[in-house]
Structures are given as C-alpha cells and as structure tokens.
Amino acid sequence: MRMIALPSYVNDIAETVRRALAEDIGGGDVTALLVPAAQRAQARVIAREAAVVCGRPWVDEVFRQLDPAVTLDWQVTEGATVAAGQSVFRLEGPARALLTGERTALNFLQTLSGTATAVRRYADAIAGTGCQVADTRKTLPGLRNAQKYAVLCGGGVNHRIGLYDGILIKENHIAAAGGIRAAIAQARALGAGVPLMTEAETLDEVDAALQADVDLLLVDEFADDQLREAVQRVRAHRARGGHTLLEYSGGVTLQTIRALADTGVDRISVGAITKHLHAIDLSMRLI
C-alpha cells in the first residue's frame, strides 16, 4: 500500500507536536534523569488490537524535536491494517529521548489510528455502492487537521476543513436571510471563491438548491421516501448538466449506513468517526 500523501491543509504538525510535548514535559522530564544521559536503547511499539495505522508524521516529529539522533523503522505503511500483537515500528537512540517521547508519540498514534479505524469500518460497510463516507467539523480541539487527515487514511473524504474553505448554508442562515433562495443569492454575491453548499429540510428546498446548482446539497434526517425522491431529483438535475452532489447526515450508525448508501446518495457524513473516539491500544517496550 502506498504512503498516504499529506494534504495541503496539514501544515501545523511541528506546532501541534511542540504544544503536546510542552504539555507533557513542562520544565523537564524528571523521571528520565534516572537514566544515564549517554545510555542508548532500542524499543518497539506493538498494537494490542487490530487497527488502521495513522499518525506517522506526528510520531516522527515528536522524536525529531526531542532528539534527531533517534531513528524510527516503521514496519507498517500509513493507512494499512495491523493485527493484534503486530509490531508497528521500532526505535533506536538515546534512552532518555525514547522514554520522554513515548506517551506523546503514542497519544498521537492511538488517537489518529482510532479515527482511521472507525472510518474504515464505515467505508467497508458501504463498499460497492459508490457512496463515500464524509467527516464533519466535530473534531477534537487542536487536532482538526490531524483528524481530517486520519479520515483520508481510513478511506473517507473530507467535508470542508473549517469555516473558511466552504460556505455551508444551514437552517439558521436560511431563517436569518429570509429563505433558502435569498441565502443562496447572498452567498453567490460574496464571490468568496469557495464551494457553495446548503442544507435542505424539505423537497421544496431541494428544488431551490438544484435550481441554483449548488456544489453540494445536504439533507438532514430525511425519511426514506423523501431521501429517495431527493436522489431522483438530483440525478435528473445532473442529467440536465448540473453538478450538485447529494450528502445525507443525521444519526448515522454502522447499522444504518448501508441502507442509506443504497438509496443512491453520493456521500454520507458521520460525526461519530471523529467525536466518538476509541483510541487504539498500543504499547512501547524497550528491547
């Protein structure tokens, strides 16, 4: 499996790692002083459960910042699956640096691998439908870019990264603007140069969005018959030359996502993949 390329929005790894190390080390790792400064060591990190591995750039940066003399040998490619008991990577270098960086490195790896693993489960559940799993902005504060990257490692796609790279007209915007048509018109007038997306709560709002040929139409908790009708209207719109994508959101679970994908929607956004986080159990041992 090829290495997952870092998207352009992941431009804060060094700063994120710096903050994480400062949070853990503070004025200094006093326990590491028990180890002679010149002592070298080797260690390996093992997965205690099956997972999709994600977080290598953050782990590498942890040890680069602590001591560039530490070398890492990854046994698993980013985005690949490991089994319980499998070695993920090995380390060699100054023992103090290995011990000081252990928890921060594993915190990144367990969190991002947990996100990627969750995404992979949802993606596998809808395999073959042509539908994609999309993320939301329901991410851990300070780890938005990292978790968005983990979604890609798990086989999902990113919605907008933040409030700056896409206009998403939601129900409160529609109410404040005096209706969906007025809200879309005002958004077009901004000339922001970013994708224009809108929610729709009724089929009439679906029609208004399609008339405006928005980039993405988001339907939230539509009933089955409404959702299938929305799919048909979007398909008819695209047959006439439109390009609007249809996304479903709202209370999606592993048990319900396949039926939703089978309706023909293009994407299904799942907040749980980034906010209901199960961190992967990992262990580092000196060898």
Side-chain angles (χ1 to χ4, degrees), residues 212-284:
D213 195 29
V214 298
D215 296 296
L216 184 134
L217 172 61
L218 179 63
V219 292
D220 187 30
E221 297 186 351
F222 265 33
D224 290 347
D225 57 342
Q226 280 183 302
L227 181 57
R228 293 185 184 279
E229 178 60 28
V231 168
Q232 292 306 312
R233 295 187 187 190
V234 170
R235 286 178 175 174
H237 172 69
R238 291 209 287 250
R240 296 190 296 269
H243 75 286
T244 302
L245 293 176
L246 181 62
E247 182 174 309
Y248 177 89
S249 71
V252 179
T253 67
L254 275 173
Q255 291 69 43
T256 63
I257 193 170
R258 180 72 192 204
L260 292 167
D262 284 337
T263 65
V265 296
D266 299 300
R267 306 196 321 193
I268 299 173
S269 55
V270 185
I273 58 178
T274 51
K275 72 186 181 85
H276 295 168
L277 186 64
H278 167 77
I280 300 303
D281 189 5
L282 302 164
S283 175
M284 189 181 99

Side-chain angles (χ1 to χ4, degrees), residues 100-137:
T100 298
E102 173 186 358
R103 178 42 50 201
T104 299
L106 294 190
N107 281 349
F108 281 116
L109 194 62
Q110 71 185 19
T111 300
L112 300 184
S113 295
T115 300
T117 301
V119 175
R120 185 68 55 83
R121 292 192 185 108
Y122 279 89
D124 286 348
I126 60 174
T129 64
C131 183
Q132 295 177 303
V133 177
D135 56 26
T136 69
R137 287 168 44 243

